[in-house]
Amino acid sequence: MAFEQIQWFPGHMAKTRRMISENLKNVDLVIELLDARIPDSSRNPEILRLTDGKPRLVLLNKCLLSDPAQNKIWLSRLAEKEVFPILTDCVSGEGINKIEGAVKKLLAEKLERYQEKGMSGRRVRAMVLGIPNVGKSSLINRISGNKKAKVEDRPGVTRDKQWVTTSIGVDLLDMPGILWPKFEDQRVGENLALTGAIKDEILDTEGLAVLLCKKLRFLYPELFFTRYKLANEDLVLSDYELFLKIGKKRGFLVSGGEINTERTAAVLLDEFRAAKIGKITLDRVPKKQGGAPNAGTND
């Protein structure tokens, strides 16, 4: 199953690129959210290009859904390039209390200049950026203590910029989620689709679920086989046959005893996204130093 042709770039995303450029001069730093399950695949090269030169705080969000061992590896890798990468989970509040201190360290010289000029009370302004459904609005609501930013568990909810005042001395500019016009690596598109950054409505969800079986049997075979009560003899089955067996074991049958593949796919994707299969990271940092990050398996 391949997803070379997946491209989801609605008109409002092109508008967001313009808004980023227009508003960048009005902020002191950029807070970029990555999905901890796919730290490389969720890093939008457009954001890097558009905000080049601006101080950056990187949050590995949804860290309670991702593999703790991989979290440490990715945190170390990002620390080589970013000043302050932080593991966060906006649902539980994990890591949120580290943001204020990180912002102050990141902008220490600028804040010192403000103090020298008698502007110690000046509020810091940050632009919050990331792909759709990565948790930007949830982050803002956590920091502000209010439900000021609209939150739904589907991509493309925030459609316009909105300023939010917080209790940590930072005003946040919430921007709509933005993807990029073309995924050069098909695995990036696959991982974005699997984690819900691309609308399921435009995807072949059954094919996507088969792809998930392929990735999980390679990266997390024990978690995968345990969750769906698969046996050692099932190792010889194809990815599609495994998918069908899961549907059969769950009793997802229609008239005539056929497998309800649509329901099977929906359950597989939902359980992966909710970490019911286990805490999983699809992107891996290569063991060989200097290599490019691996966005899951493509074998």
Side-chain angles (χ1 to χ4, degrees):
M1 182 69 188
F3 285 91
E4 295 96 330
Q5 302 306 313
I6 280 189
Q7 302 298 334
W8 186 53
F9 195 72
H12 76 272
M13 292 191 184
K15 176 184 175 184
T16 300
R17 290 196 299 185
R18 294 193 297 271
M19 285 196 297
I20 291 172
S21 298
E22 292 167 0
N23 288 277
L24 197 62
K25 62 181 179 297
N26 299 322
V27 301
D28 301 297
L29 79 154
V30 169
I31 299 178
E32 181 184 8
L33 277 73
L34 304 180
D35 188 325
R37 298 167 297 178
I38 52 168
D40 186 53
S41 298
S42 60
R43 167 144 269 189
N44 186 340
E46 288 281 292
I47 290 177
L48 292 172
R49 181 181 64 80
L50 291 169
T51 63
D52 186 39
K54 193 65 86 169
R56 181 185 308 274
L57 174 63
V58 173
L59 307 184
L60 280 169
N61 197 38
K62 303 189 179 185
C63 68
L64 297 186
L65 302 179
S66 55
D67 184 338
Q70 290 298 317
N71 285 347
K72 292 179 181 178
I73 294 171
W74 275 105
L75 200 63
S76 177
R77 163 54 72 91
L78 287 169
E80 297 171 3
K81 301 179 180 180
E82 311 295 346
V83 180
F84 293 109
I86 300 175
L87 290 171
T88 60
D89 185 87
C90 296
V91 175
S92 67
E94 177 81 17
I96 300 299
N97 61 348
K98 298 179 181 179
I99 293 176
E100 181 178 6
V103 169
K104 289 179 178 178
K105 289 179 181 178
L106 194 57
L107 298 178
E109 293 183 6
K110 177 176 279 192
L111 294 176
E112 186 176 346
R113 289 198 300 271
Y114 287 156
Q115 192 166 7
E116 291 173 354
K117 296 178 181 179
M119 301 167 59
S120 57
R122 185 189 183 283
R123 296 181 64 82
V124 171
R125 292 166 296 187
M127 181 182 291
V128 182
L129 296 172
I131 63 171
N133 206 31
V134 75
K136 298 182 302 299
S137 296
S138 296
L139 168 71
I140 287 172
N141 289 334
R142 269 280 173 186
I143 298 178
S144 67
N146 295 298
K147 297 293 183 181
K148 293 185 178 181
K150 188 174 181 181
V151 179
E152 289 185 32
D153 188 20
R154 59 188 178 91
V157 172
T158 303
R159 291 298 182 91
D160 205 350
K161 67 177 183 179
Q162 47 186 333
W163 279 101
V164 179
T165 301
T166 73
S167 60
I168 64 172
V170 181
D171 290 341
L172 301 175
L173 178 58
D174 183 19
M175 303 289 279
I178 178 174
L179 292 174
W180 51 110
K182 183 177 176 58
F183 306 138
E184 299 295 340
D185 187 337
Q186 73 178 47
R187 292 172 296 180
V188 169
E190 292 170 356
N191 288 343
L192 290 170
L194 286 167
T195 52
I198 298 173
K199 284 186 175 180
D200 285 340
E201 291 84 348
I202 71 166
L203 300 171
D204 169 14
T205 54
E206 293 173 25
L208 191 61
V210 174
L211 173 69
L212 179 61
C213 291
K214 175 182 179 179
K215 287 179 179 282
L216 292 183
R217 75 187 300 180
F218 178 78
L219 293 171
Y220 295 93
E222 186 173 347
L223 290 178
F224 181 47
F225 273 54
T226 299
R227 176 67 184 179
Y228 297 108
K229 298 180 172 59
L230 301 169
N232 287 336
E233 55 264 30
D234 295 324
L235 288 168
V236 300
L237 298 178
S238 68
D239 303 321
Y240 183 67
E241 288 170 335
L242 279 177
F243 168 72
L244 293 178
K245 185 154 190 176
I246 290 168
K248 185 176 182 179
K249 278 182 168 290
R250 287 291 180 92
F252 298 156
L253 306 176
V254 294
S255 57
E258 293 292 321
I259 307 296
N260 186 333
T261 55
E262 184 177 350
R263 187 179 179 192
T264 303
V267 167
L268 266 166
L269 293 172
D270 287 346
E271 292 190 353
F272 162 67
R273 292 168 183 171
K276 291 182 179 178
I277 300 172
K279 297 185 176 184
I280 289 167
T281 299
L282 297 179
D283 279 342
R284 299 297 175 88
V285 173
K287 292 181 180 179
K288 184 177 180 180
Q289 192 172 10
N294 183 354
T297 175
N298 194 36
D299 297 329

